[in-house]
Amino acid sequence: MSSHVDETCVNNTWHINQAHFLESWGDVSGYQGAGIIQPLIAPLFDGKSTIDVLADLLSEEETWAYGEVHKTWSDILNDANFDKAWRRVVHDGFIALDRESQVALNRSMTQAAVSSSNFYRPTATTTEMEVIFSASFSNYDGRYANNGWMQELPDPITKLTWDNVALMSVGTAKALGVKNEDRLKISNSGTDLFLPVWVLPGLADNTITVELGFGRDIGRISRGVGSDVNVIRKSTAINIASGFKVAKAPGKHTLACVQDHHGMDEEQLAADAIQERLPTIVRESSLSDYQKDPAFAMAFAEKEELRSLWKEHDYSDGNQWGMAIDLNTCTGCSACTIACQSENNIPVIGKEEVNNGRDMSWIRLDRYFSGDVEDPEMVFQPIACQHCEMAPCEGVCPVAATTHSEDGLNEMAYNRCIGTRYCANNCPYKVRRFNFFNFTKDMPEIVQMAMNPDVTIRFRGVMEKCTFCVQRINVAKIEAKNDSRDLVDGDVVVACQQACPTDAIAFGNINDPQSEVSRIKAQNRDYALLGELNLQPRTSYGAKLRNLNPAIDGSNPAIET
Amino acid sequence: MSILNKHPERDPSVAEAVASDELLVTGGHTFTTLTDKVSGIVEKKTPPQWYLLFAMAISGLLVLLGAIGWLVFEGTGIWGLNNPVGWGWAIVNFVFWVGIGHAGTLISAILFLLRQQWRTAINRFAEAMTIFAVICALVFPGIHVGRIWLAYYMFPIPNQMLIWPNFRSPLLWDIFAVGTYFTVSTLFWYVGLIPDLATLRDRATKLRKKVLGFFALGWRGGNRQWQHYEKAYLMLAGLATPLVLSVHSVVATDFATSMVPGWHTTIFPPYFVAGAVFSGFGMVMTLALIARKIYGLEDIITVNHLERMNKIILVTGSMVGYAYLSEFFIAWYSGNQFEVFAFINRALGPYAWAYWIMFTCNVITPQIFWFKKVRRSIPIMFVASIFVNIGMWFERFVITVTSLSRDYLPSSWDYFSPSFWDIITFVGSFGLFFTFFLLFLRFLPMVALSEVKGVLPEADPHHYSHKDGGAK
């Protein structure tokens, strides 16, 4: 019984078409309480829920999920006026239940576990390499592999899409004489696995990291993407295995990477330029230095006041939307990218087009390495349209398809856009995305149903980019107007902000000094990316502070490691 | 016509002039032999080479039409463009063709106003070349947009949406600049053609006579007609002269007004104009050498003419070289890290190969023309003229693509590679150009007869009595 025909299903005699859990009644239970699942839609493919099937098997009379859930809850609620209590819990969706208190954490046990001697010590050599099997960042063990969003979501560190690779350190690559996109043969007792090479700074030498979740045989999206690494994985060494022969194999394998395409920064000229720019792009400091110099993030700002050549528009009135992104709390998880893709109907374009450098994400995560290539530091920087007040994209559009709104949004009129791409050229943040083809042409009907009806699907030849979720702003405005009130802070929550697990993104009215975004922007860590261009972006960044444990950063040798 | 030359028999300085190769038309031509020679090209049997070249040109044109058809059907994605590099070969080709379209009007308008009589031998087909090059150029901005069927949004047409184009955008300035240039160049070329069309008409019969008669606008060659004609020509020359300088200056603002490092430089307008004249003369040279060989025009387009063109190539090529060096100096002097990197990246980055092709062809090649022997050697100048245009195409490529591929945020950097369609669209544009050009050679007088006659000694029988005080 499963919702998809997968590799297991095809080896079975019988298969029951399982409904999605939101296509059927059900219930859930947790520590704090229990809740009821209501179906959102009749089963699209006539599927049956697990409750349906089990009830059918166990019960003599004909029964359905609704009846079973109803029956269960009559026991849970145990109320004389059951109908009323049932309606309430269906309405609320949740009921708090008194459960037994949580088990206390056994500290002594954890302390014993976290002893340095328990850590794995590498014994791998160039001839006997170690292989680490790790779950794919986006596909996990392969269960999400048939989802285009997941395949196209760049791995936060490698920035690769649509493939799994053999990750190795710079030293190991040198020892094996391989470069990015070379094919690598990993052999273990007669079984060979071929994977493309990707060199990643900061990995342990003589260790190859491979990702699970690829090389599936079934699925419109997942079939044939990447390679199945289970062929060299054994149940006796399921996470880390050693004793592998690793050698370069003939041929090349093209990888679709959204940053440093094809490892371009192997070139010294570019690598130097990146390191030269990095301190101004991603401003960071250590906690102790920050305490000494709290205004360090401003240190890169122009000394003289920046002046415009023409009279600037007055934005002192009404709601003025702005965003603050805290680099300190951003973990690079990429949830914002997927949230945005879901909210704004951003198409999936496939490996070939990603490789052509046409990825469509409206908010991307830039990843930079700095310092020693063997032991580098790494930062993430989410970048979406900065909604510059002096937007360079607007002046160059010959048909005025991108203009500024009264509330400070840089807007795209898709119907007006003819696709000269001049705006994208002139954007220093390179956040504009062009529909080089009709990317939604072959979208299955079922996927069309998943599109957000509040957002236009863009046709080919049209430029698009982050809108600050203008559709959500408008809904909030309409609701406020219906209630005859002004918008208050928190009325508008943009998709990336909503999805961010660490609340690194704040959004709101920057004209209101009490709004969350204004208070964050008032902090001394706040800086504008490429602020010296005087484009006056509405998005600003909170400088990153590092507070490394002295046991890790090596600055305190007294602590035994 | 006030442009005159000295009479070979009566003026002793003529012998000297002949010795120093200053005579504009050699071979002892008279009015009649000139008319026969030039008109004969379109009246007599077409040489077989023409058919061969025309078949090639038409094939190229069909390739272009096919490539455009697929582009409209499938989308801009068939080209090699990517996210940082939003402009690729289409824009490179546009600037390349506009640049070539500079020589014609420069020769016919500016050199006319400067009384450079040697222009008469080459001005007609240089002007034709200009018009056809501008047609090729105009194809590209039209097809490079994402939604070709809506390209008319760029024109200031009153519409139901009550929306005008954005007059702040340099792309809109382009439409006006190139459009005006095309209109005035065509008009100028046509006005220049009228007396020659009448000459052809007078020699033709039947339908040909009627068609030529229609386009000759009833030209009879009378005194009053000449008087009006010369005034009109002078005025058009005056109108066209600023356009020669303005059109490529405006094209340069496409880049100069943006904020992309490597584009955002004030040197661009004059530098683009110099480069355009440079490439235009390169193209005129290539075409003139072929045409003069096939049609035996060595008496009219003499080595003297070619030498003078080589001098212009030397001057403009040196200006372009100076601009390249000054760009580097200014980038360093600005102290702007993005600007500095843009130029170092050009010379040493992943596109260094393109930069050095450009530098070799544009800066080093024309320097050979310091030597008189080289300036007068036809094989050398033929090869050099082709090098000039290869170099100038690469100049536009280097400016457009290398700057975009690596701008402010390194995370977005990417490398552009042309696709199959990029290449055949460019090749096809030569098909379009040569189709027009070969039709021109076949049906219209490729040398400005009436003007060349004006520089013959016979045109000024009284000059000897005026001594040096006579009109020149």
Side-chain angles (χ1 to χ4, degrees):
Chain A
M1 183 169 192
S2 77
S3 62
H4 290 73
V5 177
D6 57 19
E7 289 81 346
T8 312
C9 300
V10 293
N11 287 317
N12 291 341
T13 322
W14 291 91
H15 174 238
I16 297 173
N17 175 13
Q18 187 184 10
H20 189 267
F21 80 96
L22 291 175
E23 287 175 331
S24 161
W25 285 89
D27 48 11
V28 286
S29 172
Y31 276 108
Q32 290 107 10
I36 288 186
I37 300 166
Q38 288 184 67
L40 292 174
I41 193 169
L44 286 167
F45 299 105
D46 210 15
K48 300 279 173 274
S49 75
T50 38
I51 302 177
D52 286 332
V53 173
L54 285 175
D56 217 29
L57 291 174
L58 297 175
S59 164
E60 303 236 322
E61 50 201 287
E62 199 171 323
T63 174
W64 296 104
Y66 177 77
E68 293 302 314
V69 174
H70 203 262
K71 215 179 331 176
T72 312
W73 280 78
S74 65
D75 297 341
I76 295 172
L77 294 169
N78 198 13
D79 198 316
N81 193 351
F82 171 70
D83 277 349
K84 195 176 175 192
W86 165 255
R87 280 201 303 276
R88 166 151 295 279
V89 80
V90 168
H91 172 269
D92 294 347
F94 177 81
I95 186 170
L97 293 174
D98 197 21
R99 304 262 171 163
E100 284 176 29
S101 58
Q102 293 169 10
V103 182
L105 187 70
N106 184 344
R107 282 181 61 84
S108 60
M109 209 173 91
T110 52
Q111 271 167 353
V114 188
S115 147
S116 58
S117 61
N118 290 12
F119 279 104
Y120 181 77
R121 286 180 188 281
T123 51
T125 61
T126 358
T127 46
E128 297 270 295
M129 289 222 185
E130 179 181 276
V131 170
I132 296 175
F133 299 95
S134 93
S136 157
F137 176 75
S138 50
N139 298 341
Y140 194 53
D141 54 3
R143 70 183 67 179
Y144 304 122
N146 198 31
N147 182 333
W149 289 354
M150 287 299 154
Q151 293 284 9
E152 204 153 293
L153 180 70
D155 181 284
I157 299 174
T158 63
K159 306 310 284 179
L160 289 168
T161 62
W162 292 101
D163 251 316
N164 59 340
V165 291
L167 295 173
M168 63 181 73
S169 71
V170 180
T172 308
K174 209 170 277 173
L176 292 170
V178 289
K179 284 198 290 222
N180 280 349
E181 301 187 318
D182 281 346
R183 285 176 83 238
L184 194 72
K185 184 165 112 175
I186 306 171
S187 334
N188 183 20
S189 51
T191 343
D192 296 338
L193 170 67
F194 291 91
L195 276 179
V197 171
W198 197 258
V199 183
L200 198 61
L203 293 179
D205 283 337
N206 300 328
T207 301
I208 311 286
T209 304
V210 296
E211 276 183 331
L212 305 168
F214 288 87
R216 287 188 53 181
D217 301 326
I218 287 174
R220 187 175 77 94
I221 303 286
S222 54
R223 188 174 51 228
V225 176
S227 312
D228 182 7
V229 301
N230 285 318
V231 294
I232 57 161
R233 192 178 179 212
K234 293 203 169 75
S235 55
T236 47
I238 207 151
N239 293 322
I240 301 173
S242 47
F244 287 87
K245 297 260 172 299
V246 176
K248 185 179 175 176
K252 283 267 181 189
H253 182 105
T254 310
L255 293 168
C257 182
V258 298
Q259 189 179 342
D260 312 330
H261 302 260
H262 318 297
M264 259 172 73
D265 60 352
E266 285 172 4
E267 179 203 333
Q268 200 53 41
L269 178 74
D272 291 347
I274 294 172
Q275 293 311 317
E276 191 192 338
R277 292 176 192 195
L278 196 53
T280 53
I281 293 172
V282 178
R283 299 182 190 174
E284 59 172 286
S285 180
S286 67
L287 180 64
S288 50
D289 287 347
Y290 172 62
Q291 281 159 345
K292 277 178 238 155
D293 177 17
F296 78 96
M298 326 277 239
F300 302 98
E302 290 282 320
K303 293 286 181 286
E304 285 172 53
E305 198 193 339
L306 297 162
R307 261 172 293 178
S308 291
L309 282 174
W310 48 80
K311 191 167 166 274
E312 290 176 30
H313 193 275
D314 180 23
Y315 290 110
S316 60
D317 199 32
N319 287 303
Q320 296 300 335
W321 304 109
M323 185 180 274
I325 300 177
D326 194 345
L327 299 180
N328 220 9
T329 47
C330 174
T331 62
C333 75
S334 310
C336 49
T337 307
I338 291 294
C340 179
Q341 185 156 27
S342 164
E343 172 71 18
N344 292 302
N345 299 337
I346 298 170
V348 172
I349 60 173
K351 180 181 172 183
E352 194 187 338
E353 288 305 299
V354 173
N355 189 42
N356 285 341
R358 295 162 178 178
D359 45 304
M360 297 299 285
S361 49
W362 285 7
I363 182 163
R364 63 171 196 263
L365 273 142
D366 287 353
R367 178 271 296 128
Y368 296 104
F369 294 112
S370 60
D372 181 12
V373 79
E374 294 295 342
D375 186 18
E377 294 290 354
M378 185 174 67
V379 285
F380 296 109
Q381 187 171 41
I383 297 205
C385 175
Q386 310 278 307
H387 291 267
C388 313
E389 288 184 2
M390 308 286 286
C393 49
E394 291 170 11
V396 297
C397 175
V399 294
T402 184
T403 50
H404 230 69
S405 74
E406 286 295 305
D407 45 4
L409 300 179
N410 168 250
E411 294 181 324
M412 267 306 301
Y414 300 129
N415 277 344
R416 181 72 181 164
C417 176
I418 60 171
T420 66
R421 306 181 294 287
Y422 200 171
C423 52
N425 288 347
N426 212 24
C427 173
Y429 305 100
K430 289 284 171 284
V431 295
R432 288 179 160 263
R433 299 286 182 256
F434 187 65
N435 287 275
F436 280 98
F437 289 114
N438 185 1
F439 289 127
T440 51
K441 191 163 58 181
D442 54 358
M443 188 186 274
E445 201 179 351
I446 194 75
V447 181
Q448 289 177 27
M449 288 173 73
M451 293 294 109
N452 181 354
D454 294 335
V455 179
T456 315
I457 306 278
R458 283 79 57 183
F459 189 52
R460 77 170 160 93
V462 170
M463 191 61 75
E464 61 183 63
K465 55 146 206 110
C466 163
T467 61
F468 268 176
C469 284
V470 66
Q471 67 282 1
R472 293 191 177 201
I473 294 176
N474 286 334
V475 166
K477 274 189 194 165
I478 292 165
E479 280 176 359
K481 198 173 179 186
N482 286 345
D483 299 348
S484 306
R485 62 177 173 84
D486 287 336
L487 279 175
V488 293
D489 195 32
D491 274 354
V492 183
V493 179
V494 293
C496 53
Q497 172 193 20
Q498 190 178 22
C500 181
T502 61
D503 282 339
I505 301 176
F507 178 83
N509 178 10
I510 56 169
N511 256 359
D512 171 10
Q514 294 312 311
S515 69
E516 191 198 1
V517 69
S518 297
R519 282 185 281 122
I520 291 173
K521 278 175 182 282
Q523 291 179 1
N524 53 16
R525 287 189 299 122
D526 189 74
Y527 72 94
L529 180 60
L530 301 175
E532 67 274 19
L533 300 176
N534 199 23
L535 304 171
Q536 301 172 15
R538 281 286 173 90
T539 300
S540 59
Y541 290 86
K544 187 177 177 66
L545 300 180
R546 288 185 197 270
N547 186 21
L548 283 185
N549 186 332
I552 297 172
D553 75 358
S555 64
N556 189 347
I559 297 174
E560 195 196 335
T561 51
Chain B
M1 283 243 132
S2 57
I3 36 180
L4 306 165
N5 211 325
K6 298 182 177 182
H7 197 281
E9 283 147 36
R10 295 181 190 147
D11 196 317
S13 69
V14 168
E16 215 177 285
V18 173
S20 65
D21 294 328
E22 276 177 18
L23 216 56
L24 289 174
V25 179
T26 55
H29 278 292
T30 63
F31 288 170
T32 321
T33 57
L34 265 183
T35 307
D36 285 342
K37 175 90 204 160
V38 176
S39 307
I41 292 172
V42 297
E43 287 162 356
K44 284 187 200 140
K45 210 165 164 299
T46 309
Q49 296 102 312
W50 188 91
Y51 288 102
L52 181 70
L53 290 172
F54 192 68
M56 284 163 65
I58 283 282
S59 315
L61 175 61
L62 289 175
V63 165
L64 176 70
L65 293 176
I68 293 175
W70 184 240
L71 176 77
V72 177
F73 185 78
E74 199 57 26
T76 325
I78 66 165
W79 291 342
L81 302 172
N82 55 35
N83 188 30
V85 187
W87 285 355
W89 279 34
I91 298 294
V92 173
N93 299 342
F94 163 68
V95 183
F96 171 76
W97 281 116
V98 172
I100 287 186
H102 265 66
T105 314
L106 180 108
I107 291 167
S108 44
I110 296 186
L111 297 187
F112 175 76
L113 294 181
L114 295 175
R115 301 277 191 273
Q116 294 295 311
Q117 297 166 4
W118 60 274
R119 61 177 268 287
T120 54
I122 50 170
N123 77 336
R124 169 67 43 75
F125 77 82
E127 282 174 50
M129 179 202 80
T130 288
I131 291 161
F132 307 143
V134 175
I135 289 173
C136 290
L138 284 170
V139 167
F140 287 100
I143 63 168
H144 102 285
V145 299
R147 300 201 291 169
I148 295 159
W149 50 96
L150 295 178
Y152 72 91
Y153 281 0
M154 285 198 274
F155 297 104
I157 307 166
N159 57 73
Q160 81 283 8
M161 291 174 281
L162 296 176
I163 187 166
W164 284 100
N166 179 9
F167 290 97
R168 289 190 295 162
S169 170
L171 288 188
L172 198 71
W173 310 341
D174 261 5
I175 303 251
F176 293 116
V178 183
T180 314
Y181 184 68
F182 178 69
T183 314
V184 173
S185 301
T186 312
L187 212 57
F188 196 44
W189 178 64
Y190 178 60
V191 168
L193 263 172
I194 291 172
D196 292 358
L197 289 175
T199 308
L200 286 184
R201 173 201 62 196
D202 295 344
R203 296 159 58 93
T205 52
K206 294 176 195 159
L207 180 68
R208 237 177 84 79
K209 191 178 185 75
K210 282 196 176 135
V211 173
L212 286 165
F214 176 79
F215 286 104
L217 303 178
W219 182 262
R220 287 284 172 269
N223 238 346
R224 278 169 62 101
Q225 278 188 334
W226 273 111
Q227 214 176 351
H228 290 308
Y229 173 83
E230 290 198 2
K231 273 195 188 130
Y233 199 79
L234 186 67
M235 278 198 292
L236 277 172
L239 265 177
T241 297
L243 287 176
V244 176
L245 304 177
S246 74
V247 64
H248 226 57
S249 297
V250 172
V251 170
T253 60
D254 285 349
F255 302 98
T257 58
S258 81
M259 55 184 303
V260 180
W263 284 12
H264 183 74
T265 47
T266 45
I267 197 178
F268 266 16
Y271 155 29
F272 267 47
V273 172
V277 174
F278 179 56
S279 68
F281 268 86
M283 195 64 156
V284 173
M285 182 66 82
T286 314
L287 297 176
L289 291 175
I290 298 171
R292 127 190 225 278
K293 183 84 191 155
I294 292 179
Y295 293 108
L297 295 172
E298 284 89 347
D299 293 341
I300 300 170
I301 307 171
T302 64
V303 177
N304 292 333
H305 293 113
L306 302 176
E307 188 186 354
R308 285 185 166 126
M309 284 161 67
N310 285 335
K311 283 181 184 168
I312 291 187
I313 289 176
L314 172 60
V315 170
T316 49
S318 304
M319 284 159 83
V320 167
Y322 172 76
Y324 293 165
L325 299 178
S326 111
E327 275 187 326
F328 268 85
F329 172 75
I330 295 294
W332 166 78
Y333 187 68
S334 72
N336 179 329
Q337 61 168 339
F338 302 116
E339 197 71 21
V340 174
F341 177 76
F343 285 93
I344 293 175
N345 184 48
R346 270 184 199 175
L348 303 172
Y351 291 105
W353 58 272
Y355 182 84
W356 292 107
I357 290 176
M358 168 194 95
F359 197 87
T360 313
C361 291
N362 290 355
V363 183
I364 297 169
T365 308
Q367 299 309 319
I368 59 171
F369 290 133
W370 284 106
F371 305 102
K372 191 174 176 84
K373 264 208 176 121
V374 177
R375 281 204 299 273
R376 299 179 73 86
S377 156
I378 286 169
I380 294 181
M381 69 176 88
F382 183 71
V383 173
S385 71
I386 288 170
F387 271 32
V388 163
N389 269 314
I390 293 174
M392 283 309 292
W393 189 88
F394 272 99
E395 180 195 298
R396 280 63 173 253
F397 176 82
V398 165
I399 290 172
T400 311
V401 174
T402 64
S403 312
L404 285 174
S405 79
R406 290 182 166 180
D407 70 342
Y408 292 96
L409 296 183
S411 61
S412 297
W413 290 357
D414 202 353
Y415 189 82
F416 165 90
S417 312
S419 72
F420 167 76
W421 298 99
D422 278 306
I423 296 165
I424 67 161
T425 309
F426 178 51
V427 172
S429 71
F430 278 94
L432 174 67
F433 177 80
F434 280 108
T435 303
F436 276 126
F437 196 77
L438 288 164
L439 288 174
F440 157 76
L441 292 183
R442 175 71 187 78
F443 292 107
L444 291 169
M446 59 176 285
V447 173
L449 259 181
S450 61
E451 294 200 54
V452 173
K453 286 178 189 167
V455 300
L456 280 187
E458 286 93 323
D460 183 26
H462 305 294
H463 171 66
Y464 63 94
S465 59
H466 289 279
K467 297 269 168 15
D468 282 347
K472 273 196 169 178

